Amino acid sequence: MASKIVVGYDGSTSARSALDFALNVARAQGGSIVVAHVLEWSPYSFLSAEELAERHKRRSEELERAEQALIKPLLKDMETSGVDVTAEVKYGNIAEVLVKIAKSENADLIVIGRTGHSALSSRLFGSVAGTLAQAAPVPVTIVP
Amino acid sequence: MGTFTKSATLAVPGLLAASGPLMAQSIDQQVNELFASSTGWFVNFIFSPFPGTSFPWIVAWLVIAATIFTLYFGLIQFRAFPHSIALVKGDYSDPNDAGEVSHFQALATALSGTVGLGNIAGVAVAVSIGGPGATFWMILAGLMGMASKFTECTLGVKYRNEYDDGTVSGGPMYYMTKGFAARGLPGGKFLAVMFAIFCILGAFGGGNMFQANQAHAQLTNVLGDYPGWITGIIFATIVFAVIVGGLKSIARVTEKVVPFMGVLYVLTALVILAMNADKIGWAFGQIFDGAFTGLGVAGGMVGALIQGFKRAAFSNEAGVGSAAIAHSAVRTKEPITEGFVSLLEPFIDTVVICTMTALVIIITGQLIADPETGLYLLNESGSAIQTVDGNSGVALTSAAFSSAFGWFRYVLAVAVILFAFSTMISWSYYGLKAWTFLFGEGKTTELIFKLIFCFFVVVGAAASLGPVIDFSDAAIFAMAVVNIVALYFLMPIVKAELNSYLARLKSGEIQKFQ
């Protein structure tokens, strides 16, 4: 069975563990991987007038930085992995965007790394893993 | 550095030795006199009445403009209201554009520039001078002002400058020059320069001195009396840290707390109204009666009307052109959509928030009426209605709210200071845009503007309310004079955009996402 796996990736060690886990699964099943890097963003946040005027510029810079510092080295790294890896950089709520990508790519699995937040902060601010557990259309694996 | 520390330590005891309070009072007085005498001619010109009447021509100018836009666009503020809300919710925003400025963000930022002391102090001034009836005219002005805002913000987005690096500059200066050129009309450049000059004055006046002045009034109300220049220097230092030092953290905290304060303010007002539910009918009665009879207020019905329209315009800035600067940063293919969104601004600012303030002041019985005749009693000079403890401006609002909840005076003090601060930051940006339009972009020219801006914070806190409010009003209305002239010439462009957009919306070419 050729499976497709969406991996939430932010460059952290646990995200890397998640990717390694996904690579193993994909190799075993002959599947492919979509690496998703989500830049946290809400259209309902508040910005100053100056930030508004510079927003388009900042957005381009942020996308460029993500592409150059994170995605490009990673994809280069993945060339030798023997698995078909593609990447997407998106803005939005992390869990919502992962769900959206899983749907649009017809993925079979979402893999994310553990963030290691305390129970309190997760309760206050919500966690990506918690939201995914409730909202994901496919199984979710959390890698420590 | 060493010499600086030394001279500072020498100077401070010297200053304190010269019997602090006496000297401080004289500084405040000198600032006040100098300020009043140097701005008086400008104020007199803007507020000069029609010959033989007491009706200022500027008020007629605003009323006529708002009426013309309302009729020309076929009551757009009511027709487009549901669509405006759908746009703010993001129903028509392409999810692939996430990370760009949303309609909500442009609206919220523009609102944080307008929701401020106008809603708290300005309304108190209006009802204490014009009586409850001023509220009626204020709401009417707010509803009609929605059409003015719609017109100017559509143009602001349509004719903004987009630079190669992705930043944008927009506002009346740009639609005056580019819009007039597009229609083949002369004089766009002249209007733009005039507007920019008045916008800079407005930034120093209503966007700065009035805010500093009322923030100080609020502080003395809570902390006890002390000289204004002290508040001025503290405020100026913080503003300096943000606009010159680029201290984003303060601005960011303010941007987050201000909306929260706004909501808290409206909720508290609603609770007070609910507690006095039996008097709401009476209060509206006062508002309607006062609107057409004046209820014995100085100036009668005309006085109520003038106050209502003046304070509404000062609060929501419809027709003034300032909001067009903030709204122009939104990312949209359709300039008209930002016009739709912007018309919610006078609604929230004036029809909702200002009305709440007025109702709370009226319902809590702050205005003293003659028990026999039911007419309001005037104060000794005959210039305003007698209030409990003789309060005026922000102190009147504070007294009204804290008559129901004693602790609210502290919440209001914090709210006023934050509103004042966020309005100053917004206006420093509007003023800066006008300044760079005149003198060109560049680090030095920008720094000069920012330093002058900080200087006026101190002047505003030290001067007394009368001259400051006169100058603030005059400067902001001078912007409206120039801006509305431009809007008359450019409104056919907005109409063409509107018709095209509505046709495509009807045909289904423009659809909701999801």
Side-chain angles (χ1 to χ4, degrees):
Chain A
M1 180 188 103
S3 62
K4 197 165 208 178
I5 306 169
V6 173
V7 181
Y9 186 78
D10 63 357
S12 66
T13 7
S14 69
R16 183 68 210 208
S17 311
L19 181 59
D20 289 338
F21 176 86
L23 284 171
N24 285 333
V25 177
R27 273 196 209 99
Q29 301 183 345
S32 61
I33 291 177
V34 181
V35 172
H37 178 56
V38 185
L39 296 152
E40 186 80 57
W41 170 260
S42 161
Y44 304 110
S45 60
F46 294 95
L47 303 175
S48 71
E50 204 173 345
E51 286 173 308
L52 290 188
E54 289 177 350
R55 185 60 218 158
H56 184 64
K57 180 185 167 192
R58 295 268 172 269
R59 182 181 188 261
S60 317
E61 286 170 0
E62 286 163 11
L63 289 174
E64 177 69 15
R65 200 182 312 138
E67 189 67 33
Q68 292 302 330
L70 212 65
I71 300 304
K72 239 183 171 176
L74 183 76
L75 289 182
K76 199 165 167 67
D77 213 23
M78 290 297 116
E79 277 170 11
T80 53
S81 67
V83 176
D84 178 20
V85 181
T86 53
E88 282 195 42
V89 181
K90 293 266 183 209
Y91 274 91
N93 176 289
I94 297 173
E96 279 175 18
V97 173
L98 289 178
V99 167
K100 210 177 267 174
I101 293 175
K103 278 183 187 159
S104 66
E105 296 279 338
N106 264 329
D108 307 286
L109 178 67
I110 298 175
V111 184
I112 56 166
R114 196 182 63 176
T115 47
H117 288 312
S118 70
L120 180 68
S121 73
S122 299
R123 189 153 293 208
L124 282 176
F125 304 113
S127 68
V128 174
T131 315
L132 276 181
Q134 296 294 334
V138 294
V140 179
T141 305
I142 299 159
V143 181
Chain B
M1 192 65 214
T3 42
F4 171 74
T5 325
K6 200 173 167 189
S7 60
T9 37
L10 282 175
V12 170
L15 196 77
L16 290 175
S19 85
L22 201 87
M23 191 181 157
Q25 279 309 318
S26 71
I27 292 180
D28 280 9
Q29 269 168 19
Q30 281 172 9
V31 168
N32 200 27
E33 276 165 26
L34 189 70
F35 182 71
S37 63
S38 56
T39 58
W41 64 272
F42 178 58
V43 173
N44 288 338
F45 169 68
I46 293 290
F47 291 116
S48 55
F50 287 114
T53 66
S54 60
F55 199 94
W57 65 275
I58 186 72
V59 175
W61 174 257
L62 286 168
V63 181
I64 292 167
T67 314
I68 288 176
F69 297 133
T70 301
L71 296 177
Y72 185 72
F73 294 112
L75 301 176
I76 189 70
Q77 60 266 61
F78 304 110
R79 281 200 293 149
F81 199 83
H83 187 63
S84 303
I85 292 177
L87 284 166
V88 174
K89 275 168 59 196
D91 291 355
Y92 291 88
S93 308
D94 185 344
N96 289 322
D97 284 345
E100 300 281 12
V101 176
S102 66
H103 284 302
F104 177 88
Q105 284 166 328
L107 177 67
T109 304
L111 264 176
S112 82
T114 60
V115 173
L117 289 163
N119 306 66
I120 300 172
V123 174
V125 171
V127 292
S128 64
I129 299 176
T135 315
F136 174 85
W137 299 109
M138 195 174 68
I139 295 172
L140 190 67
L143 289 172
M144 300 213 298
M146 292 164 77
S148 311
K149 199 79 124 185
F150 163 78
T151 317
E152 64 191 9
C153 290
T154 302
L155 290 167
V157 175
K158 189 170 169 65
Y159 291 111
R160 66 184 168 194
N161 271 7
E162 289 182 58
Y163 302 106
D164 293 337
D165 69 354
T167 56
V168 291
S169 272
M173 304 79 80
Y174 297 95
Y175 59 69
M176 284 164 186
T177 42
K178 291 158 86 176
F180 272 56
R183 291 208 62 200
L185 296 165
K189 184 81 185 164
F190 173 75
L191 283 177
V193 170
M194 291 299 287
F195 179 83
I197 293 169
F198 292 136
C199 182
I200 292 166
L201 292 179
F204 292 150
N208 178 341
M209 288 198 290
F210 176 67
Q211 311 294 328
N213 184 281
Q214 289 295 286
H216 174 68
Q218 185 62 56
L219 281 168
T220 52
N221 192 20
V222 175
L223 301 174
D225 200 21
Y226 70 95
W229 59 267
I230 297 179
T231 308
I233 286 177
I234 297 170
F235 255 77
T237 311
I238 304 174
V239 171
F240 182 86
V242 173
I243 65 175
V244 181
L247 203 58
K248 291 260 166 62
S249 52
I250 296 180
R252 228 165 250 156
V253 170
T254 320
E255 297 301 329
K256 290 196 169 49
V257 181
V258 161
F260 171 75
M261 282 292 178
V263 172
L264 182 68
Y265 185 80
V266 172
L267 287 181
T268 312
L270 284 173
V271 171
I272 295 175
L273 296 184
M275 284 161 51
N276 296 286
D278 54 321
K279 287 194 204 147
I280 292 179
W282 168 80
F284 274 105
Q286 291 282 297
I287 289 172
F288 285 111
D289 287 351
F292 300 102
T293 64
L295 290 171
V297 170
M301 173 189 155
V302 175
L305 186 144
I306 292 171
Q307 281 303 322
F309 271 102
K310 256 171 89 169
R311 305 279 31 114
F314 186 69
S315 173
N316 66 37
E317 295 166 18
V320 169
S322 52
I325 302 175
H327 280 284
S328 64
V330 75
R331 276 282 137 179
T332 176
K333 291 177 197 80
E334 306 285 345
I336 201 89
T337 55
E338 199 52 29
F340 287 137
V341 169
S342 71
L343 62 77
L344 295 173
E345 210 186 307
F347 183 81
I348 297 169
D349 181 280
T350 308
V351 181
V352 177
I353 304 182
C354 285
T355 308
M356 290 293 160
T357 307
L359 280 174
V360 170
I361 293 175
I362 297 165
I363 271 186
T364 57
Q366 298 298 315
L367 307 173
I368 300 173
D370 188 327
E372 283 174 21
T373 60
L375 296 179
Y376 287 99
L377 297 169
L378 296 182
N379 61 10
E380 278 165 23
S381 59
S383 58
I385 298 173
Q386 268 186 34
T387 54
V388 178
D389 298 331
N391 290 318
S392 69
V394 71
L396 178 58
T397 310
S398 182
F401 274 83
S402 40
S403 70
F405 301 108
W407 49 265
F408 197 77
R409 109 182 13 253
Y410 303 104
V411 177
L412 194 68
V414 176
V416 162
I417 289 160
L418 285 169
F419 286 160
F421 185 72
S422 75
T423 306
M424 280 184 198
I425 300 297
S426 298
W427 272 91
S428 75
Y429 179 77
Y430 302 159
L432 183 66
K433 285 284 135 186
W435 183 270
T436 53
F437 179 81
L438 288 179
F439 302 112
E441 320 241 344
K443 285 268 178 283
T444 322
T445 48
E446 290 184 11
L447 184 66
I448 294 170
F449 171 80
K450 288 170 178 176
L451 288 174
I452 302 174
F453 192 85
C454 291
F455 168 73
F456 274 102
V457 176
V458 184
V459 177
S464 67
L465 178 63
V468 166
I469 213 169
D470 287 347
F471 174 72
S472 304
D473 284 358
I476 285 194
F477 290 140
M479 288 168 73
V481 172
V482 184
N483 187 44
I484 286 170
V485 169
L487 295 184
Y488 285 147
F489 283 107
L490 300 176
M491 63 186 188
I493 296 176
V494 179
K495 186 123 185 188
E497 291 268 339
L498 177 66
N499 290 340
S500 149
Y501 182 84
L502 289 182
R504 280 176 293 148
L505 194 65
K506 205 174 173 190
S507 74
E509 194 184 327
I510 295 169
Q511 282 185 335
K512 286 190 187 185
F513 283 88
Q514 287 149 17

